[in-house]
Amino acid sequence: MNTPAEYYQRDPDRHPPALTPGYKTSVARSPRLAPISLEQSMSEITGPTFGHADIGPLDHDLIRNYAKTGDPIGERIIVHGRVLDENARPVPNTLVEIWQANAGGRYRHVNDRYLAPIDPNFGGCGRTLTDADGYYFFRTVKPGAYPWRNRINNWRPAHIHVSVFGASFSQRLITQLYFEGDPLIPLCPIVQTIPDPTAVEALIARLDLNASVPLDSIAYRFDIVLRGRRSTLFENRLEGN
């Protein structure tokens, strides 16, 4: 039995450093000592796996999966795209989860005290599995911007939190999706922690009118790239190349 190949190291020039004082909560959360470099183990380069039995029929539809008395309030949108790795290969049958504020900018969370009202028909959470080509899609409402106490007048741009499990724990990615044309993106202290402007661009979902539903929903395209896996030697040849 061949041991699965390791994954590429994350590029520190594209990921924000742990300590970024402009984003105040990173000061308390960042490690005080340098990280230790460890070889990837079997527990990190394999699993977990998910199947269609883990997903409900409305889990991907945030307009309907929490509705009690009608549709939620807000701009109806579709978020869709493909999950690929750094070798441009699709990542099939992987779990994609999202969570977000409602159209007024408020989360359904006990600690969210923003004055915007709770939408009784919007839960703000969804999940789906990618297909054989790595494709996924969600239907939801566009989240609103909201204030936060980083500084006196900081506002988070409209965003959706995204979690992708990938084919192993080493590929696991938790990130945020922003929307094309939002003037709050370059002003956000969290976005400003990202050192590479091209990495910021990769976090912005692009308007996709070809996938929009006329008189119903505007679509945004958001492709997700996970870590690539190194090639392995099998019978003196490179597998997968």
Side-chain angles (χ1 to χ4, degrees):
M1 178 178 176
N2 292 322
T3 301
E6 290 189 353
Y7 287 88
Y8 303 140
Q9 178 180 322
R10 293 194 190 277
D11 184 353
D13 293 329
R14 291 180 63 83
H15 290 263
L19 176 61
T20 50
Y23 174 24
K24 291 184 178 180
T25 55
S26 76
V27 176
R29 294 173 179 173
S30 58
R32 295 293 179 262
L33 301 175
I36 299 173
S37 180
L38 298 174
E39 183 178 1
Q40 294 173 7
S41 67
M42 285 293 291
S43 64
E44 293 159 335
I45 60 178
T46 60
T49 59
F50 301 94
H52 289 283
D54 299 314
I55 303 296
L58 294 178
D59 281 0
H60 71 290
D61 189 345
L62 282 69
I63 291 177
R64 297 179 59 199
N65 67 13
Y66 195 84
K68 303 294 193 302
T69 59
D71 288 348
I73 294 171
E75 179 184 338
R76 297 157 67 95
I77 65 171
I78 293 167
V79 174
H80 74 121
R82 294 179 70 202
V83 179
L84 308 169
D85 68 13
E86 290 175 285
N87 300 315
R89 295 171 180 157
V91 183
N93 301 314
T94 192
L95 183 67
V96 182
E97 299 174 307
I98 64 171
W99 62 99
Q100 63 170 92
N102 64 23
R106 185 168 176 179
Y107 290 94
R108 183 173 289 278
H109 191 282
V110 65
N111 291 331
D112 191 340
R113 303 299 185 189
Y114 182 36
L115 54 79
I118 291 287
D119 188 330
N121 293 307
F122 189 71
C125 298
R127 59 183 181 171
T128 191
L129 288 176
T130 57
D131 68 12
D133 199 36
Y135 181 76
Y136 76 92
F137 85 96
F138 291 96
R139 195 168 73 132
T140 185
V141 297
K142 191 173 183 180
Y146 59 82
W148 62 306
R149 286 290 188 181
N150 189 68
R151 289 194 171 89
I152 291 175
N153 195 28
N154 280 156
W155 288 75
R156 294 297 334 275
H159 63 279
I160 295 176
H161 300 265
V162 182
S163 164
V164 186
F165 273 86
S168 76
F169 285 111
S170 287
Q171 273 193 320
R172 179 79 191 279
L173 176 68
I174 299 175
T175 188
Q176 295 184 11
L177 168 167
Y178 303 97
F179 294 91
E180 182 178 12
D182 190 334
L184 290 173
I185 294 173
L187 304 179
C188 178
I190 294 180
V191 175
Q192 290 172 356
T193 67
I194 302 171
D196 185 348
T198 65
V200 175
E201 290 297 311
L203 297 178
I204 299 175
R206 304 296 172 181
L207 181 66
D208 185 2
L209 287 179
N210 288 334
S212 298
V213 179
L215 304 178
D216 188 307
S217 304
I218 294 176
Y220 290 87
R221 176 93 187 194
F222 187 67
D223 293 329
I224 303 166
V225 180
L226 305 181
R227 296 169 77 175
R229 191 192 290 267
R230 300 185 189 281
S231 298
T232 57
L233 279 172
F234 179 72
E235 296 182 349
N236 295 321
R237 68 179 188 271
L238 285 173
E239 282 294 295
N241 289 305

